[in-house]
Amino acid sequence: MKVGFTTIEVEDLEASVAFYTEVLCLKEVKRFSPYPELKFVFLQGEGGGIIQLAKNSNDLKEATTGTYALKAVGIEVENLKGIVSSLKENNVEFLGELIETPAGIKMLFIKDPNGVTIELIEGFEI
């Protein structure tokens, strides 16, 4: 079984697309709307992982599940220390300081425009 993508429900679709493409440098690969109230944008990273941003303006949408349903989206980066200044310039919210483990793994937790936690991680392979 292959995991296709992770979906994040967003309040402001275009602000979210700008964050993921301009700040985190993901590439928009597909955009479609199965009906007028529902819009999807698919973003892909270098390794092929995909995030789907979903905007549902239908009054009958499901209730927001909150942060307990989605803990974090992990994004692998090559030079975490090198992008910290860019994140600060873009007023990205940091959830603590850069973490460096004795094994050389570096992690930084940030928030996207929707309050979703993003874990930027360097030196970690599955």
Side-chain angles (χ1 to χ4, degrees):
M1 187 175 298
K2 178 181 176 184
V3 176
F5 52 84
T6 298
T7 301
I8 300 171
E9 187 172 13
V10 302
E11 185 65 31
D12 184 331
L13 184 62
E14 295 311 318
S16 297
V17 169
F19 174 81
Y20 283 94
T21 58
E22 296 169 15
V23 178
L24 297 182
C25 300
L26 300 182
K27 179 182 175 186
E28 182 177 326
V29 293
K30 187 170 189 164
R31 186 182 282 246
F32 80 98
S33 180
Y35 55 90
E37 296 84 13
L38 185 59
K39 296 177 173 66
F40 298 121
V41 176
F42 292 84
L43 306 164
Q44 188 170 37
E46 292 175 14
I50 296 176
I51 294 174
Q52 172 187 298
L53 303 179
K55 170 66 178 163
N56 186 354
S57 57
N58 186 338
D59 290 337
L60 299 177
K61 70 180 180 178
E62 294 178 27
T64 302
T65 55
T67 58
Y68 293 107
L70 177 62
K71 180 65 177 165
V73 174
I75 298 177
E76 293 179 35
V77 299
E78 290 185 20
N79 181 3
L80 187 52
K81 286 184 177 180
I83 65 170
V84 168
S85 61
S86 173
L87 296 171
K88 288 179 180 176
E89 289 170 8
N90 284 284
N91 298 313
V92 174
E93 180 183 350
F94 286 65
L95 299 175
E97 299 296 320
L98 180 80
I99 300 165
E100 294 187 60
T101 71
I105 298 169
K106 297 176 185 71
M107 297 175 282
L108 179 65
F109 293 87
I110 61 173
K111 289 278 188 183
D112 86 346
N114 307 286
V116 173
T117 300
I118 306 295
E119 177 182 354
L120 302 175
I121 189 162
E122 176 187 341
F124 179 78
E125 293 183 25
I126 295 178

